[in-house]
């Protein structure tokens, strides 16, 4: 609760976790579904009893594409996290344009991370 007596928004809790070096997601206490992006109501059953959990940040690339611009190439990947949710992010390492479906990755979340700076690396390069 903040000074006004309100709980912070789910998006604010998620952003605070990233800034502290944690990748947070939610679990429904009613149907046990994993919920990401953070919400107030479970999208699976409509319950409003969601709890926070910290992800280990380990996942598998589900899909990937490369965007090309004047500033250079950049990959965008859908990543299936081991906890059961999917998120869109960038895989950054020395051969990021060669990202492949099925590769194992881990989140890189130093203190001060934002939603825009969150990225993943191949597990073999950690």
């Amino acid at each position: 609760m903040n000074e006004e007596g309100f709980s912070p928004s789910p998006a604010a809790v998620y952003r605070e976790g990233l800034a502290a070096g944690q990748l947070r997601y939610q679990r429904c206490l009613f149907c046990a579904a994993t919920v990401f992006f953070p919400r107030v109501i479970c999208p699976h059953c409509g319950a409003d009893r969601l709890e926070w959990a910290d992800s280990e940040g380990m996942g598998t690339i589900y899909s990937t594409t490369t965007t090309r611009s004047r500033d250079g190439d950049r990959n965008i990947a859908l990543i299936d996290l081991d906890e059961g949710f999917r998120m869109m992010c960038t895989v950054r390492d020395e051969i990021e344009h060669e990202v492949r479906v099925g590769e194992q990755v881990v989140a890189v979340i130093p203190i001060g991370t934002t939603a825009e700076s969150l990225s993943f690396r191949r597990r073999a390069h950690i």
Side-chain angles (χ1 to χ4, degrees), residues 23-24 37 40 43 45 78 80 83 85 92 99 104 126:
L23 177 56
R24 293 181 180 161
F37 195 80
V40 177
C45 72
L78 289 176
D80 287 338
E83 291 84 5
F85 65 93
R92 294 190 175 127
V99 173
Q104 303 294 301
I126 300 299

Side-chain angles (χ1 to χ4, degrees), residues 2-81:
N2 60 21
E3 296 169 2
E4 292 83 31
F6 296 105
S7 296
S9 74
V13 173
Y14 170 69
R15 287 190 306 270
E16 289 167 6
L18 287 177
Q22 301 165 327
L23 177 56
R24 293 181 180 161
Y25 67 99
Q26 296 168 299
R27 277 196 206 106
C28 178
L29 294 174
F30 187 77
C31 73
T34 302
V35 178
F36 186 85
F37 195 80
R39 304 161 195 255
V40 177
I41 305 251
C42 175
H44 304 280
C45 72
D48 63 356
R49 300 201 54 223
L50 301 172
E51 69 177 354
W52 288 98
D54 292 333
S55 172
E56 294 295 320
M58 304 286 193
T60 304
I61 297 175
Y62 172 80
S63 177
T64 185
T65 190
T66 301
T67 61
R68 304 192 190 289
S69 72
R70 293 179 192 159
D71 298 328
D73 296 350
R74 182 176 146 215
N75 76 65
I76 300 171
L78 289 176
I79 299 169
D80 287 338
L81 278 289

